[in-house]
Amino acid sequence: MKIVLYLAIGLMMNVAALGRGRSDTLLLNLEQAIKAAPEYDGRKQADINQLKNQIASRRDIDLVDRFKMIRGLYNEYKTFNYDSAYLYAKQMQEISYQMHDSVYISDSRIGLAFIMVSAGLFKDAFDSLKTINVGRLPDSLKASFYALLGRSYYDLADFDNDKYYTPLYYGKGNAYLDSALNYFPSASFDYAYFDGLRNLKTRQLTKAQGIFETLLERPNLSFHQMALAESTLSGIYEAQGRKDDQIRLLLMAAIDDIRSSTK
C-alpha cells in the first residue's frame, strides 16, 4: 500500500504541473480507491479462505485434485502476497513429485519461476526453467513457459540498463515472445498483450499503441488485465512525449491495481 500512496503523491504533483482536466477526476477516483482498498482486500481474502476451507473439508482428495486446488490458491496469491504464493508454489512442486508426472512438475516449476522473477531473482528463475522439457508440455504451458522467459529477459534488460547486455536481453526476450505467440489462442488477452509488448520492445510504438488501445476496448476484462494494459500503454505514451495521456493511463492502472488487490 505504501507504493500506491507514493505513486498517488507523484501523480498529484504531475497533475498539478499539467493543469486541471480529466486527470483531476481520475485522481479523486484514485483517492476513493485507496480508501476502499481494505474492502477490496477483504473480498480477496474471503475468496482465499473459501478455497482453503474447500481443501480442508476434502479428506479423500486425490493428488490431481489437490494439485489443482493448491494451484488455485497460488493463482490467488501470486499478485497479492509473495510469501504465500511462494509457499503454495513449493507445495505444488511437492505434490507433482509425488505424482511422478512431468507435466505437473513443469507446471509447478513455471509457477515458482514466475514468483522468482517478480522478486527479481532472475538466476533462480532461469535455473528452474532450464530443467523443463518444453517439448512434452501442452500448448497452454508452452505459451506460459515462453512468455515467462520473454518477460524475464525484458525485466533483466531493464534492470541492467547498459549498452551491451540490454540489447542482448531484449533480443532474447523478443525471440521467446515470438515462440509464445505460436501457442496463445489468437483471440485471447494474453496473445494481444504479449504481441503489444513485443512491438513496444522493438520500438514499433504506433503498432503497439494500436494493439493496447484496441485491447482496452474489449468488454469483460478483469481489473488486473486492465491495469496491465493501461500501465504498458502509459509507457508508450511516455515514449511519444504524450505526458497528459501517460499520467491519465497511470492513474487508471493504479486504480485497477487497487481494485484487483495487486500488490
Side-chain angles (χ1 to χ4, degrees):
M1 184 56 65
K2 288 182 179 178
I3 293 174
V4 174
L5 291 173
Y6 294 151
L7 174 62
I9 292 170
L11 289 171
M12 288 177 188
M13 294 172 64
N14 278 292
V15 170
L18 289 169
R20 309 187 68 82
R22 184 181 176 189
S23 293
D24 286 334
T25 300
L26 287 171
L27 201 55
L28 289 174
N29 291 342
L30 176 59
E31 291 173 353
Q32 292 170 358
I34 291 172
K35 292 177 182 177
E39 180 182 347
Y40 294 123
D41 291 352
R43 294 174 189 170
K44 181 81 167 180
Q45 193 61 57
D47 291 339
I48 289 171
N49 291 341
Q50 184 177 9
L51 279 173
K52 289 181 176 179
N53 291 335
Q54 289 176 4
I55 294 173
S57 66
R58 293 280 302 276
R59 296 181 180 179
D60 59 342
I61 188 170
D62 62 24
L63 288 175
V64 172
D65 284 344
R66 183 168 183 79
F67 181 93
K68 292 178 179 179
M69 296 178 84
I70 293 297
R71 199 186 201 295
L73 280 172
Y74 162 82
N75 286 335
E76 290 290 338
Y77 274 121
K78 69 179 184 179
T79 58
F80 182 56
N81 184 292
Y82 169 85
D83 290 337
S84 295
Y86 183 85
L87 171 67
Y88 287 109
K90 294 295 287 185
Q91 287 190 23
M92 288 165 55
Q93 197 168 56
E94 291 170 3
I95 296 169
S96 68
Y97 288 153
Q98 294 176 43
M99 295 165 63
H100 303 289
D101 188 301
S102 61
V103 172
Y104 284 102
I105 291 172
S106 296
D107 190 5
S108 67
R109 287 176 178 170
I110 293 170
L112 187 60
F114 176 91
I115 299 303
M116 291 173 176
V117 171
S118 299
L121 303 174
F122 297 109
K123 182 181 183 303
D124 303 89
F126 288 132
D127 287 346
S128 180
L129 293 172
K130 284 178 183 177
T131 64
I132 294 175
N133 184 344
V134 68
R136 296 184 177 181
L137 300 182
D139 285 355
S140 60
L141 284 182
K142 286 179 181 176
S144 297
F145 173 83
Y146 287 123
L148 180 56
L149 275 171
R151 177 208 160 181
S152 300
Y153 276 109
Y154 285 158
D155 287 357
L156 185 56
D158 293 337
F159 177 80
D160 283 357
N161 192 27
D162 71 359
K163 294 181 179 180
Y164 178 76
Y165 286 106
T166 292
L168 177 66
Y169 292 148
Y170 275 156
K172 289 186 175 182
N174 295 336
Y176 281 122
L177 282 198
D178 283 341
S179 296
L181 293 174
N182 289 325
Y183 297 105
F184 282 121
S186 59
S188 67
F189 171 88
D190 287 325
Y191 183 95
Y193 176 80
F194 286 112
D195 187 26
L197 183 62
R198 181 188 57 172
N199 280 284
L200 169 60
K201 296 300 184 180
T202 56
R203 305 301 295 175
Q204 299 183 67
L205 298 183
T206 301
K207 187 173 181 180
Q209 174 191 338
I211 290 171
F212 283 110
E213 288 178 343
T214 301
L215 181 57
L216 284 169
E217 293 174 357
R218 291 189 185 184
N220 303 321
L221 292 181
S222 69
F223 289 132
H224 183 58
Q225 289 173 332
M226 287 191 289
L228 283 173
E230 288 158 351
S231 61
T232 310
L233 181 57
S234 75
I236 296 171
Y237 289 152
E238 179 184 22
Q240 295 172 333
R242 297 169 58 177
K243 191 72 173 179
D244 288 357
D245 288 327
Q246 176 202 356
I247 291 176
R248 175 174 57 85
L249 266 293
L250 280 176
L251 285 164
M252 293 166 65
I255 292 166
D256 287 328
D257 268 339
I258 294 170
R259 288 171 172 171
S260 62
S261 293
T262 296
K263 307 301 182 184

